Amino acid sequence: MGIINRVEHGLAKAVHGAFAKAFKSEVQPVEIASAIRRAMDDRAALLGHGRAMVPNLYTIELSETDYERLGDYEDELSEDLVAAAQEHADSQGYQPHGPLEVNLIEGEGLETGVFRVRPATSKRGGQDLEPPPAAPARGVPPRVPSGTVVDERPVPPRPAPRTNPSSRPWLDINGDRYPLLGSLTTLGRDDSADIVVDDPGVSRRHSEIRVTTDGPHLITSIRDLNSTNGTFVNGDRISSQRLHDGDRVTLGRTSATFRAGRR
């Protein structure tokens, strides 16, 4: 098939992008994404007919040091975390109580590297705040990594989310969907790539896809990273080129179809 698609690895790559490169020792964005996913799983309430409702608001309390480091990227990081949470909800068949939202705030009494996840439920675009279904009393849930504290107290929501995750572009590779959640996504054979392509004809870091904004529109382009066998769009070898919906991208013997997402 040519693509390594592991759940944990895929989630990490979804929010890795430019953020994890900037934060080597403190809280990593991928840890926040994993904690949100686990909080969602722990609080899924089965309503019958296979429907499971989950909280839609996730407030992340960070230490002063971590908040200062992440603060410059707050808007972009919140959008990527929302998109990763939506992907998890879609894959599990969960129905959030409303639009998903992730907010970063500075918490009290937290040491560097420790953060809290506070799930909450809001209906009708931020009104009628409700706490999520009660969970058994405990400290850190067994499936939450050390350094994470899950706090179930509800918090007041901010305005509606800035971005609809379904509007993000994605790659269709052999029928599998690979969302381009970050502003920069690398493709290659190396395990450090955001999308790992298990193909001997693909370089370790083969190409990168960049998603930028032009007013309300998303602009997507692909650039070859001096790969051995080149990057091709619709059969033509390129160094850098803008992508349009339906374009076929080829790396080695692996092909993908670019989808621009909803407008």
Side-chain angles (χ1 to χ4, degrees), residues 218-247:
L218 293 178
I219 306 299
T220 306
S221 59
I222 187 169
R223 181 170 72 93
D224 185 74
L225 299 177
N226 297 318
S227 64
T228 301
N229 295 320
T231 299
F232 295 80
V233 176
N234 299 326
D236 297 326
R237 186 165 184 165
I238 58 93
S239 56
S240 180
Q241 181 170 313
R242 180 173 172 177
L243 291 175
H244 300 277
D245 188 66
D247 280 350

Side-chain angles (χ1 to χ4, degrees), residues 11 32-46 52-58 60 81-102 117-121 132-133 135 138 141 143-144 150-152 165:
L11 179 64
I32 299 175
S34 296
I36 291 173
R37 184 191 65 179
R38 289 180 171 88
M40 188 179 292
D41 290 342
D42 288 343
R43 285 152 188 80
L46 187 63
M53 302 294 291
V54 294
N56 61 307
L57 304 179
Y58 297 86
I60 312 301
L81 291 170
V82 165
Q86 183 68 61
E87 284 291 322
H88 182 63
D90 291 344
S91 70
Q92 299 300 313
Y94 294 155
Q95 181 176 337
H97 280 271
L100 285 167
E101 182 175 355
V102 177
V117 179
R118 294 172 59 184
T121 296
R138 59 183 180 270
R143 289 187 295 163
V144 175
V150 176
D151 187 331
E152 295 181 14

Side-chain angles (χ1 to χ4, degrees), residues 48 61 97 102 106 109 115 129 155 166 200 205 208 254:
E61 291 188 359
H97 280 271
V102 177
E106 183 177 340
F115 62 96
L129 187 68
V155 294
S166 65
R205 286 176 54 85
E208 65 181 18
T254 302

